Amino acid sequence: MTQPKQKLELKTEFQRYFFMIVASCSYALSIDVFLLPNSIVTGGVTGAATLISLLTGLGAGTFSILLNLPILLLGLRSQGKWFILRCLITTTVLGIFIDLFAGLPSMTTDPLMASIYGGIVQGVGIGLFCRYSVSSGGTELLARILLPRFPAMSLAGLLAALDGIVVLVGSIVLRNPENMLRALIVIYLSAKVSDLIITGLDYAKMVYIISDHADEVAQGLISNSPRGVTKFTGVGMYTHRDKNMLMTVVKRAQLAQLRQLVKQADSAAFVIVSETTEVLGNGWKNLNE
């Protein structure tokens, strides 16, 4: 192994564990200063740990670790010892932070606002976990383990079912049907925020242009934009004529200029615009970032 490669792997591991700690702090804060004080039970192992903590008065972090241990043992054969070891480290760190921050005062006594803020802060933690390939096990790992026993279900569907069971049980035990709505708010916002953390804010537009004057359109785009253009050939199945299709990716602010350039070269062109959340490579974000 070359020295630069060793340095790169060391840097990657350092980043992974550093952001694992940051993510654990964020996730723990969402529980201790927003969700737990307002008796909001969400999905996952931490949701189950929150419910047990509300019933017993003991630390949710300790229960989070204890509930994760059998799941990690079940996943040892299928997931490998190194993956499970990393999950155990993350689970332990997260549990410690949850119990460590348990003495912090609640940031709000309004359950709705707690759901909103809790979802946002939790989403930061989940996004960092995903971006730096860190897993704490939980219901995601349990869903992977159980998936072969439920071939008719997808991983996402099984995970949603497991989390839904936790939310439903929490709502029934606490005799609080409104908990289901609050849990949905937390889950929705955490998913949106985690997506932003994973993909970033560098939104772009991917554009397909089908034109009988593809070369003229491409030349106009290349002459007036720093973005590259790729040409594909195909056959229009309605007319059975050969067609050329161009593909390019532009910043959102450049879309109006692109439309004008295409219109000037071929007003009859067929243009398809779609959203893309991340672009890697020359002229965009470095592939190694």
Side-chain angles (χ1 to χ4, degrees), residues 6-250:
Q6 285 180 328
K7 289 183 178 180
L8 180 61
E9 290 185 353
L10 184 62
K11 180 182 177 182
T12 301
E13 286 300 304
F14 176 80
Q15 285 182 334
R16 176 179 288 120
Y17 286 102
F18 173 78
F19 283 105
M20 178 269 285
I21 294 172
V22 175
S24 296
C25 285
S26 181
Y27 201 108
L29 285 171
S30 74
I31 293 173
D32 286 321
V33 302
F34 294 114
L35 305 183
L36 190 58
N38 290 278
S39 301
I40 299 172
V41 176
T42 59
V45 168
T46 52
T50 300
L51 175 60
I52 297 173
S53 177
L54 288 171
L55 296 174
T56 64
L58 301 176
T62 301
F63 286 116
S64 176
I65 296 172
L66 293 175
L67 291 174
N68 261 303
L69 286 178
I71 299 175
L72 296 178
L73 290 174
L74 285 173
L76 187 59
R77 177 177 294 181
S78 61
Q79 303 299 316
K81 62 180 181 181
W82 293 115
F83 176 80
I84 296 299
L85 179 61
R86 282 180 174 174
C87 288
L88 178 60
I89 294 172
T90 305
T91 296
T92 304
V93 172
L94 177 58
I96 290 172
F97 277 124
I98 291 174
D99 284 347
L100 186 65
F101 296 156
L104 294 176
S106 173
M107 296 296 290
T108 178
T109 57
D110 184 334
L112 178 59
M113 297 306 297
S115 302
I116 294 172
Y117 291 135
I120 293 171
V121 178
Q122 191 175 100
V124 173
I126 293 173
L128 290 174
F129 279 144
C130 294
R131 181 159 186 165
Y132 292 95
S133 303
V134 176
S135 175
S136 60
T139 49
E140 180 186 357
L141 177 57
L142 183 59
R144 292 181 184 277
I145 296 169
L146 295 177
L147 189 61
R149 298 178 181 272
F150 299 91
M153 297 185 69
S154 66
L155 179 62
L158 185 55
L159 178 59
L162 292 172
D163 288 342
I165 290 171
V166 175
V167 173
L168 180 61
V169 170
S171 301
I172 293 173
V173 171
L174 296 177
R175 298 180 181 179
N176 183 10
E178 291 182 354
N179 177 75
M180 289 187 282
L181 177 59
R182 293 165 187 162
L184 285 175
I185 293 173
V186 174
I187 293 169
Y188 175 80
L189 288 175
S190 65
K192 288 296 182 181
V193 173
S194 63
D195 282 345
L196 289 177
I197 297 295
I198 295 167
T199 60
L201 295 170
D202 193 21
Y203 288 102
K205 297 287 186 179
M206 182 163 60
V207 184
Y208 293 99
I209 305 163
I210 301 172
S211 171
D212 291 329
H213 305 281
D215 290 339
E216 291 88 336
V217 174
Q219 188 58 47
L221 295 177
I222 293 171
S223 300
N224 295 276
S225 170
R227 308 300 173 191
V229 181
T230 301
K231 183 170 78 171
F232 301 92
T233 58
V235 177
M237 295 308 296
Y238 183 76
T239 61
H240 295 283
R241 292 172 51 195
D242 290 339
K243 291 284 186 179
N244 289 316
M245 181 173 68
L246 304 174
M247 188 273 286
T248 186
V249 181
V250 297

